[in-house]
């Protein structure tokens, strides 16, 4: 590298400088320096304050050109570059140069960002949210022995003495964004698995799950049991209740164990098919079963309670269920839940078939 720099020095001084910067960081990485040493060396090379910030931990390192911690308030960054790892932005590096940027500042920061990502990955665990799906599957699989599960958790960065909460999610939002929101400032790992996204976290703030996300939350401390519970809870989600905690289901969770053929053949569930062509009727029945009150259902639907009463009367005749009695209301509510579980089962089976078809259609040797 030095010989190449000497040969090019007479051709283009900028190229010579850029090569020397690259060689400088190659040497640092061979010495396996940590983040403070990397930042200190960068500040000395740039002859101004250099900084590194990691989003996942909130850690910030600012070092002056003398090698000491920068004590003065942070000046606006003259140049800044994101740190990326596994295609995810995990932080940023910057220079606080008082005057205009140096011609080599961009090269220096590019190399600093690459080196910082390598240091984070080496001394990690890596602070990216997205994880290797194979490791995540080892954690949540009921077929994994405890030693292998513990090792997978350790590789993902989770401490052995802390419980791991599991979420099963469906959303168009990126999984890393969802993970960062539900457990801010703590370790979160996520990966797509078949038809659903998996989020592993040490704690879950369900109120921070963004709108438009369907999420089931497991209650058990064991990751494999928590995953099964999260998948079950996800099946109970709806537009009206997009987030369901398994612990809140109680006896309703038993409905998920009913064989699909048994549910389909049930008289009340089959009767709901007669409402399928009228989504307004299904929405009205759902609101009425959820509230148990004509007036509260009317508030949810933004209708007059007399209009809801007429609809409920007609729906009751169609289903042959007296919806004005507690037993009739309970029957309709259970039928709605059973129908929702059947629909979720159909969606899951279709997604699995599509995934298998794509896998078979993929050319041999493709990634």
């Amino acid at each position: 590298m030095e010989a190449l720099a000497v040969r090019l020095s007479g051709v283009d001084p900028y190229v010579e400088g850029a090569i020397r910067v690259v060689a400088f960081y190659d040497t640092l990485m061979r010495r396996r320096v940590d983040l403070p040493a990397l930042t200190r060396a960068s500040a000395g090379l740039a002859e101004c304050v250099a900084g590194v910030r990691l989003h996942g931990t909130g850690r910030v390192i600012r070092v002056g050109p003398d090698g000491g911690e920068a004590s003065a308030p942070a000046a606006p960054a003259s140049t800044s570059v994101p740190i990326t790892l596994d295609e995810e932005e995990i932080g940023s590096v910057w220079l606080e140069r008082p005057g205009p940027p140096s011609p080599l500042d961009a090269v220096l920061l590019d190399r600093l960002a690459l080196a910082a990502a390598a240091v984070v990955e080496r001394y990690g665990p890596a602070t990216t949210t997205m994880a290797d799906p194979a490791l995540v599957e080892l954690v949540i699989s009921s077929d994994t022995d405890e030693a292998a599960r513990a090792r997978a958790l350790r590789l993902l960065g989770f401490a052995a003495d802390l419980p791991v909460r599991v979420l099963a999610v469906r959303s168009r939002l990126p999984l890393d964004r969802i993970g960062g929101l539900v457990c801010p400032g703590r370790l979160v790992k996520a990966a797509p698995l078949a038809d659903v996204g998996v989020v592993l976290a040490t704690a879950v703030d369900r109120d921070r799950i963004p709108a438009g996300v369907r999420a089931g939350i497991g209650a058990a401390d064991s990751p494999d049991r928590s995953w099964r519970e999260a998948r079950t809870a996800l099946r109970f989600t709806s537009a009206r209740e997009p987030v369901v905690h398994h612990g809140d289901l109680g006896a309703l969770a038993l409905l998920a164990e009913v064989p699909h053929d048994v549910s389909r053949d049930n008289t009340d569930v089959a009767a709901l098919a007669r409402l399928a062509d009228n989504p307004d009727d299904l929405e009205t029945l759902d609101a009425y079963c959820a509230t148990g009150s004509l007036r509260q259902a009317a508030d949810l639907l933004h209708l007059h309670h007399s209009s809801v009463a007429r609809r409920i009367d007609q729906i009751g005749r169609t289903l042959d269920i007296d919806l004005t009695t507690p037993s009739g209301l309970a029957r309709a509510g259970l039928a709605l839940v059973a129908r929702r579980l059947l629909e979720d089962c159909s969606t899951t089976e279709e997604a699995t078939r599509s995934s298998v078809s794509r896998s078979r259609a993929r050319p041999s040797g493709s990634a």
Side-chain angles (χ1 to χ4, degrees):
M1 184 68 77
E2 290 293 332
L4 179 60
V6 170
R7 289 174 59 189
L8 292 174
S9 60
V11 178
D12 190 334
Y14 172 81
V15 173
E16 177 193 2
I19 291 176
R20 291 189 184 277
V21 169
V22 171
F24 177 83
Y25 281 99
D26 285 348
T27 300
L28 288 177
M29 295 314 298
R30 283 197 298 272
R31 294 176 179 173
R32 304 177 73 84
V33 298
D34 57 13
L35 278 180
L38 182 62
T39 311
R40 198 160 46 244
S42 300
L45 179 63
E47 298 183 334
C48 67
V49 172
V52 175
R53 176 183 291 106
L54 299 179
H55 298 330
T57 61
R59 185 182 184 188
V60 176
I61 304 172
R62 290 178 65 241
V63 179
D66 60 354
E69 182 178 347
S71 56
S78 56
T79 319
S80 178
V81 169
I83 305 171
T84 58
L85 184 60
D86 296 334
E87 300 182 357
E88 179 184 344
E89 183 177 328
I90 64 169
S92 61
V93 296
W94 70 92
L95 297 176
E96 299 174 20
R97 191 177 297 284
S102 162
L104 290 173
D105 281 358
V107 178
L108 186 153
L109 284 177
D110 281 340
R111 301 307 297 183
L112 173 56
L114 288 171
V119 170
V120 169
E121 188 172 34
R122 178 184 304 135
Y123 295 108
T127 57
T128 56
T129 298
M130 298 307 294
D132 182 349
L135 278 180
V136 172
E137 190 166 8
L138 274 175
V139 169
I140 63 176
S141 174
S142 58
D143 296 330
T144 304
D145 63 74
E146 292 308 310
R149 194 188 321 279
R151 181 175 181 274
L153 284 168
R154 186 170 63 252
L155 289 173
L156 289 170
F158 291 100
D161 57 343
L162 291 177
V164 176
R165 304 304 176 195
V166 184
L167 282 77
V169 300
R170 285 200 184 102
S171 173
R172 293 182 180 179
L173 294 177
L175 275 176
D176 58 335
R177 179 181 171 189
I178 297 172
L181 288 172
V182 301
C183 189
R186 298 189 184 185
L187 182 63
V188 180
K189 293 294 179 180
L193 192 64
D195 64 310
V196 71
V198 186
V199 177
L200 307 177
T202 53
V204 175
D205 185 349
R206 63 186 298 174
D207 294 332
R208 292 179 60 90
I209 296 176
V213 174
R214 297 283 186 95
I217 306 173
D221 288 337
S222 172
D224 56 326
R225 284 182 55 209
S226 186
W227 168 242
R228 291 196 299 272
E229 293 177 349
R231 284 300 303 265
T232 297
L234 179 63
R235 295 179 63 193
F236 282 85
T237 60
S238 64
R240 195 178 304 285
E241 192 176 9
V243 179
V244 173
H245 193 290
H246 188 273
D248 297 333
L249 289 174
L252 282 176
L254 296 174
L255 287 177
E257 306 300 324
V258 177
H260 303 150
D261 291 342
V262 174
S263 291
R264 288 190 185 96
D265 293 340
N266 179 267
T267 303
D268 291 344
V269 176
L272 286 176
R274 296 196 286 270
L275 302 179
D277 293 335
N278 194 335
D280 289 342
D281 283 350
L282 282 174
E283 186 179 12
T284 300
L285 181 60
D286 184 45
Y288 180 57
C289 290
T291 62
S293 163
L294 290 173
R295 290 188 179 274
Q296 291 181 39
D299 289 341
L300 284 177
L301 299 169
H302 305 292
L303 296 171
H304 194 275
H305 71 274
S306 61
S307 299
V308 173
R310 285 193 297 271
R311 284 191 187 181
I312 291 298
D313 181 64
Q314 178 60 45
I315 291 169
R317 287 197 296 271
T318 301
L319 300 178
D320 195 22
I321 298 176
D322 185 355
L323 297 175
T324 63
T325 65
S327 62
L329 190 62
R331 283 175 57 185
L334 289 174
L336 281 171
V337 173
R339 182 176 185 272
R340 186 184 306 156
L341 295 177
L342 287 172
E343 288 178 341
D344 178 84
C345 176
S346 299
T347 301
T348 300
E349 291 174 350
E350 179 60 32
T352 302
R353 284 194 296 269
S354 298
S355 177
V356 171
S357 298
R358 288 194 298 269
S359 176
R360 290 175 176 173
R362 187 177 297 151
S364 176
S366 63

